[in-house]
Amino acid sequence: QVQLVESGGGLVQAGGSLRLSCVASERTFRNYAMGWFRQAPGKEREFVAVIGRRLSTTYADSVKDRFTISRDNDKNTGYLQMNTLKPEDTAVYYCALGNYRSTQGEYNYWGQGTQVTVSS
């Protein structure tokens, strides 16, 4: 059972940046695509970005050109660099391991989430 731990969330002003990290407990991390999802208060959890085993990437339109997903398989760690943050980016951010898809059902393992709050 792979465990995922996110970190790097916090409070930032609009226009600022944050980098989220997601550390996996096992080297099998490299065998999965890694995705980031987010859930804002009162809303459904939504797809943010995914990076495949061979480093292909896909982003939600709402974050394209502002967020960058990456991974370091030697460290069992994935990242989400978030720039030009907006108040509407406020959410709990989750990392997950699974298939290279944007749907939550394709992911087998989930972290506990990290809160990102963007003030206007």
Side-chain angles (χ1 to χ4, degrees), residues 45-63:
R45 189 157 56 182
E46 65 176 6
F47 168 76
V48 175
V50 59
I51 184 166
R53 293 178 296 167
R54 295 182 177 83
L55 306 184
S56 55
T57 59
T58 298
Y59 296 91
D61 288 343
S62 59
V63 307

Side-chain angles (χ1 to χ4, degrees), residues 20-24 29 34 36 70-72 76-80:
L20 305 183
S21 299
C22 173
V23 180
F29 169 83
M34 185 197 72
W36 286 94
S70 62
R71 65 191 298 166
D72 184 338
N76 298 338
T77 302
Y79 305 96
L80 185 68

Side-chain angles (χ1 to χ4, degrees), residues 72-88:
D72 184 338
N73 289 336
D74 290 336
K75 295 181 179 179
N76 298 338
T77 302
Y79 305 96
L80 185 68
Q81 176 67 44
M82 306 185 295
N83 298 329
T84 318
L85 283 160
K86 304 175 180 180
E88 51 263 44

